[in-house]
Amino acid sequence: MTIAGPGADKVAVSGNAATRVLAVNSGWNGTIDGLTIRDGKAPGFTNGGGILNSGVLTVTNSTLTGHTSNNIGGGIYSTGTLAVISSTVTHNSGWKAAGIYNSGTLLLTGTLLENNSGMNDGGGIYNAGTSHLLMNTVSGNSAYFGGGIYNTGALTVTDSTVRANTSNSNGGGVDNRGNMTVQNSAFLSNTGAFGAGIANSGTLMVIGATFNANSSGTFSGGGIYNSGTAAVENSTFYSNVAYAGGGIMNMRALTITNSSLVANMISNPDGSGGGVYQFTYSGTPTFSFRNTIIAGSVGGDDCAVESGAIVENTSNLVADGSCSPALSGDPLPGALGDYGGDT
């Protein structure tokens, strides 16, 4: 089945805020191109206000907007195979997964997820399956957990921007409770109580990412709040804000390699760890770091370990000498910008 329109700005298919617009059943293969699909509503407490997919569906050059669900998947609810390419998913709402819910396989490429609003988990995306986000923007979405993305499955984010999303609790940008890999992506100006950029209670690998201007306000983990296992490589944390752990708050297992944490801020005089803060109420958290710069923290020390252990501390520079680095002193960092390096 193929539905081809002349362009998303020319033709709209509407549910008139009364009914779901489209369902693709198991065993069916569908393609939608060049349409606006709008104002769908999932009946009762069912899922998928705009599209319900249990087959194979590809959406290209299209806009999904104004859909609602009293349950899961305001824009799209997919348990099958879904690809959304060069499209816009915006202004959808749902109890969970306001934009897209996936428990199957999802490929999202060149797509804007913007201003979707979830009451509970996942403003932009709720992933419980396998998802790859490539060259997308996730912006201005909101939910109680995971303003931009809520993940319990396997999630890869590559060459993407997660910006200005909001959560009331964990994960302004992303709340990761599964397995997540980040490659060459940016987390900018997100807001959330615990982990404004990313809240991680699963397994997280971050390579070549930038965390800038994320804010946890009077809570913890401006850039990342880690209560799982997290590894950060070749990444930059600049001017993030939290009560404790302006750059990163660690409560379990954290490794940082070849990275810079600069000018991160503590929002309260009783807070600690502008760059990195390690603390837990139970268990023994661990922190390993190598070839890393932590400097210029505002309102608190650069690095604070109040419980647990530093298990590796190799060739690091911490400007104020906290966390016993090999080197201390001002590294004279410049403003955040692209200087051709890895971080």
Side-chain angles (χ1 to χ4, degrees), residues 32-34 57-64 82-89 100 106-112 134 136:
I32 298 169
D33 179 72
L57 175 63
T58 301
V59 179
T60 57
N61 304 308
S62 296
T63 297
L64 289 93
L82 173 66
V84 181
I85 301 167
S86 301
S87 294
T88 299
V89 180
I100 299 174
L106 169 65
L107 172 64
L108 200 72
T109 302
T111 290
L112 173 65
L134 175 63
N136 303 286

Side-chain angles (χ1 to χ4, degrees), residues 129-156:
T130 300
S131 290
H132 188 187
L133 277 61
L134 175 63
M135 296 186 294
N136 303 286
T137 298
V138 180
S139 177
N141 304 285
S142 62
Y144 195 85
F145 298 103
I149 302 170
Y150 183 89
N151 178 54
T152 60
L155 171 66
T156 301

